[in-house]
Amino acid sequence: MCPPPNELYQFSVVSALMDGVASDGLPLSSLLEEGDHGLGTFRNMTGELIVVDGEAYQMRHDGTVVPAPGQPDSEGYHKTSVTPFAMVTKFAPSVTTTAPIQAKDGVEPVLARLVPDARNTHIAFRLDGAFRSITVRTAAGQCFPGEGLRDVASRQNELVIGPLRGTVVGFRSPQFLQGVAVAGVHMHFIDDDRQAGGHVLALETDGEVTVQVAELWRTVMDLPRGDKQFNEATLALNAEGIAAIEG
Amino acid sequence: MCPPPNELYQFSVVSALMDGVASDGLPLSSLLEEGDHGLGTFRNMTGELIVVDGEAYQMRHDGTVVPAPGQPDSEGYHKTSVTPFAMVTKFAPSVTTTAPIQAKDGVEPVLARLVPDARNTHIAFRLDGAFRSITVRTAAGQCFPGEGLRDVASRQNELVIGPLRGTVVGFRSPQFLQGVAVAGVHMHFIDDDRQAGGHVLALETDGEVTVQVAELWRTVMDLPRGDKQFNEATLALNAEGIAAIEG
C-alpha cells in the first residue's frame, strides 16, 4: 500500500524509549512501507536509524554505517532490524530553497520563516550540502532490557566528522507533543557516501545548504500491540529528560 | 471511504481547547465518515457532542438534545455543526459482558480487568442499561472567541437526571497522552429517548449494565490546517487543568 504524501507515520512514542521499551518493535520492512524520509532507533537502542530517499541505514556506535535491514553478520546486527520507535513520512516538500545555516541553532528560525502557518503541527525537513563539521552521537544500545534512554544516552559516543557533503533528515514537532515525539527540532545526519552519521548534536555548514520542508497535518500513530514490556511500562511524561537528551 | 474498525480518529487536541481554539473545526459530516462512536464538542464549545450508533447529537446547555448536524433554527445552532475537537472510532467491541458498576469510579477498574493488555493505549467503551441517576455537565459556550476551556467550564451547567435508561460512550486514554486526549476515562451520556445527556460527572447504576470494550492501537490525528487561531495558540501542556475539568 502506498501512503499519501506528507502524513507522519510514527511507531510508538518517545516516552516509551525513555522508559526503556526497546526489546521489540516494528520490522524495518514494514516501516519503509510508511515513508521514505525519517528517523528512529533500533532494537535495544543499538545505533541510530535514518531513512533517506527510501533507504534505511543503521548508524552504529563504532562509527560505521550499514544498510538496514542488512545481511546477518557476525555481530548479529540483523537481529536489530526492528524499530521500537520511528517517525517517517513520504516526503513531498512544498518549499525548496537555499539558506545560510551556520549552526544547529540556525535551523529552526529558517524553518519558521519558510512555513509560518505550521507552528503547531509537525514538519519534515531536509538539508543537503557541504558541512564543515557535524557533531553526531550514536547510541550504544541498552546494557540490559528495559534500560531507559537517559542512561543509554549517558554512554553515547560523540564524534566530530567533516568536512563532508551529506544530508540532514529531520522533523520539527510542536511543544504540546513532547513525549509523543521530540518537541522542537530532531535531526539525523548521513554523509553522501553513506559511511558516517548519527543524531545531530551540532553542525557547521560551509555557506548555503539546500533546505526542503513539508508540513505534516495528519499523523498515523501505531502503538506496540502485544508488547508486554510496553504494556507494563509506566510511561510518565518526562519532558525535561527528553529535552536534555534529544534536543 | 470506510475506516477500518477500532482505529481512533481524532481532530485537534485537548490542549487546543484549553487555549480556546474553537472558532472553527471539522464539519460534523466529515467526522461521521471516520467513526460511529465518539465524543467531542462544537464550535465555540457550544454544548457536548456524542456519537452513538453512527448518529451525532448536540447536548445543549439548556438541557435539550438535538440531532447534529441539525436543521437551522432560530438560535442558529446549525452554525455550530463543526467540531473543534472530537474523537471517534468505528466501534467493534472485542468484549461484551455485564458488570455491576455502582459509580463513576467503578468504571475504570472494570475496563482494566476486561482489557489487561491495553494499559498504555486508547480504549473505546460503551455502557448500556438503567441508571438511577447521572450528573452531567454541558458547556455553555465561549463568551468570546479564544476563551479557554477552563473558563468556559467554570460556567458549566450541572444537571442530575434519572432514573432513566441510556448509553455512556467513552474512551480511556493513557497518561502519556494527556493534552493530546483526556488521560483516564472520558464519558458522555445520552438517554434512550435522545432527550437528555452531557459530559458525565457522576453516575449511579441500577444493578448491572452492559459493558462493551475495544482496544484502539492505531490513532489517526488531524490537526487544524489553515486555522489561524490554532496556528497562533501557545498550546502549552496544562495537565493539571485538564484533569480538573475533564476527569
Side-chain angles (χ1 to χ4, degrees):
Chain A
M1 210 186 87
C2 189
N6 298 337
E7 288 188 5
L8 174 64
Y9 174 82
Q10 78 170 81
F11 182 79
S12 194
V13 291
V14 170
S15 292
L17 285 190
M18 293 300 289
D19 272 9
V21 179
S23 293
D24 211 328
L26 184 73
L28 255 283
S29 52
S30 301
L31 182 72
L32 291 173
E33 291 173 9
E34 305 290 348
D36 55 15
H37 167 110
L39 46 78
T41 187
F42 290 86
R43 195 201 295 275
N44 304 330
M45 304 190 212
T46 306
E48 309 284 335
L49 165 66
I50 189 169
V51 180
V52 55
D53 293 326
E55 302 291 330
Y57 299 90
Q58 184 176 23
M59 305 185 287
R60 299 171 178 182
H61 186 239
D62 63 3
T64 61
V65 173
V66 291
Q71 295 301 309
D73 65 18
S74 59
E75 297 172 74
Y77 270 105
H78 64 296
K79 293 183 187 163
T80 63
S81 283
V82 298
T83 176
F85 173 79
M87 297 168 64
V88 294
T89 190
K90 186 176 167 190
F91 188 54
S94 59
V95 180
T96 299
T97 186
T98 58
I101 294 179
Q102 250 97 63
K104 191 181 174 193
D105 283 355
V107 174
E108 210 287 323
V110 168
L111 301 175
R113 179 169 56 78
L114 292 175
V115 287
D117 296 331
R119 281 189 59 223
N120 281 320
T121 194
H122 297 282
I123 63 174
F125 64 93
R126 174 175 171 152
L127 312 177
D128 288 278
F131 295 83
R132 200 174 300 141
S133 80
I134 309 246
T135 307
V136 295
R137 77 111 197 271
T138 43
Q142 293 170 307
C143 285
F144 54 88
E147 188 183 27
L149 177 56
R150 197 157 198 168
D151 290 335
V152 174
S154 71
R155 294 187 306 275
Q156 71 191 12
N157 216 6
E158 287 188 26
L159 283 173
V160 181
I161 55 178
L164 38 63
R165 296 188 62 86
T167 299
V168 168
V169 166
F171 293 96
R172 189 196 68 189
S173 300
Q175 288 299 322
F176 67 90
L177 292 173
Q178 182 68 301
V180 176
V182 175
V185 167
H186 185 194
M187 313 188 260
H188 287 189
F189 172 83
I190 193 163
D191 78 316
D192 279 358
D193 294 335
R194 309 303 190 230
Q195 297 295 318
H199 173 98
V200 177
L201 296 175
L203 62 81
E204 290 181 280
T205 66
D206 201 8
E208 296 206 322
V209 292
T210 302
V211 182
Q212 294 179 292
V213 192
E215 304 176 12
L216 314 180
W217 291 94
R218 171 169 284 193
T219 298
V220 177
M221 177 175 73
D222 282 336
L223 293 175
R225 184 174 198 162
D227 183 330
K228 190 161 177 285
Q229 194 184 35
F230 179 77
N231 194 52
E232 292 176 358
T234 306
L235 297 186
L237 178 63
N238 182 349
E240 191 192 325
I242 297 168
I245 297 166
E246 297 284 354
Chain B
M1 212 187 84
C2 189
N6 298 337
E7 289 188 5
L8 174 63
Y9 175 82
Q10 78 170 81
F11 182 80
S12 194
V13 290
V14 170
S15 291
L17 285 189
M18 293 300 289
D19 272 10
V21 178
S23 293
D24 211 329
L26 184 73
L28 256 283
S29 52
S30 301
L31 182 73
L32 291 172
E33 290 172 10
E34 306 290 349
D36 55 14
H37 168 110
L39 47 76
T41 186
F42 290 87
R43 194 200 297 271
N44 304 330
M45 304 190 211
T46 308
E48 310 284 335
L49 165 67
I50 188 169
V51 180
V52 55
D53 294 326
E55 302 290 331
Y57 299 90
Q58 184 175 24
M59 304 185 287
R60 299 171 179 183
H61 186 241
D62 62 3
T64 61
V65 173
V66 291
Q71 296 301 309
D73 65 16
S74 59
E75 295 173 73
Y77 271 105
H78 65 297
K79 292 183 188 163
T80 64
S81 283
V82 297
T83 175
F85 174 79
M87 296 167 64
V88 295
T89 191
K90 187 176 167 188
F91 188 54
S94 60
V95 180
T96 299
T97 185
T98 57
I101 294 179
Q102 250 97 66
K104 190 183 175 192
D105 283 354
V107 174
E108 209 286 323
V110 168
L111 300 175
R113 179 169 57 77
L114 293 175
V115 287
D117 297 330
R119 281 188 60 222
N120 281 320
T121 194
H122 297 282
I123 62 173
F125 65 92
R126 174 175 171 152
L127 311 177
D128 288 277
F131 295 83
R132 200 173 301 138
S133 78
I134 308 244
T135 308
V136 294
R137 77 110 199 271
T138 42
Q142 292 170 306
C143 285
F144 54 87
E147 188 182 27
L149 177 55
R150 198 157 196 168
D151 290 335
V152 173
S154 71
R155 293 189 307 275
Q156 72 191 10
N157 216 5
E158 288 187 24
L159 282 173
V160 181
I161 55 178
L164 39 64
R165 296 188 62 86
T167 299
V168 168
V169 166
F171 294 95
R172 189 196 67 189
S173 300
Q175 287 299 322
F176 67 91
L177 292 174
Q178 182 68 300
V180 176
V182 175
V185 167
H186 185 195
M187 314 187 261
H188 287 187
F189 172 83
I190 193 164
D191 76 316
D192 279 357
D193 295 336
R194 308 304 190 232
Q195 297 294 320
H199 173 97
V200 177
L201 297 175
L203 62 81
E204 290 180 280
T205 66
D206 202 7
E208 296 206 323
V209 292
T210 301
V211 182
Q212 294 179 291
V213 191
E215 303 176 13
L216 314 181
W217 291 95
R218 172 170 283 193
T219 298
V220 177
M221 177 175 73
D222 283 336
L223 292 175
R225 184 175 199 162
D227 183 328
K228 191 162 177 285
Q229 193 184 36
F230 178 76
N231 193 52
E232 293 176 356
T234 307
L235 298 185
L237 178 62
N238 181 349
E240 189 194 326
I242 297 168
I245 296 165
E246 295 285 353

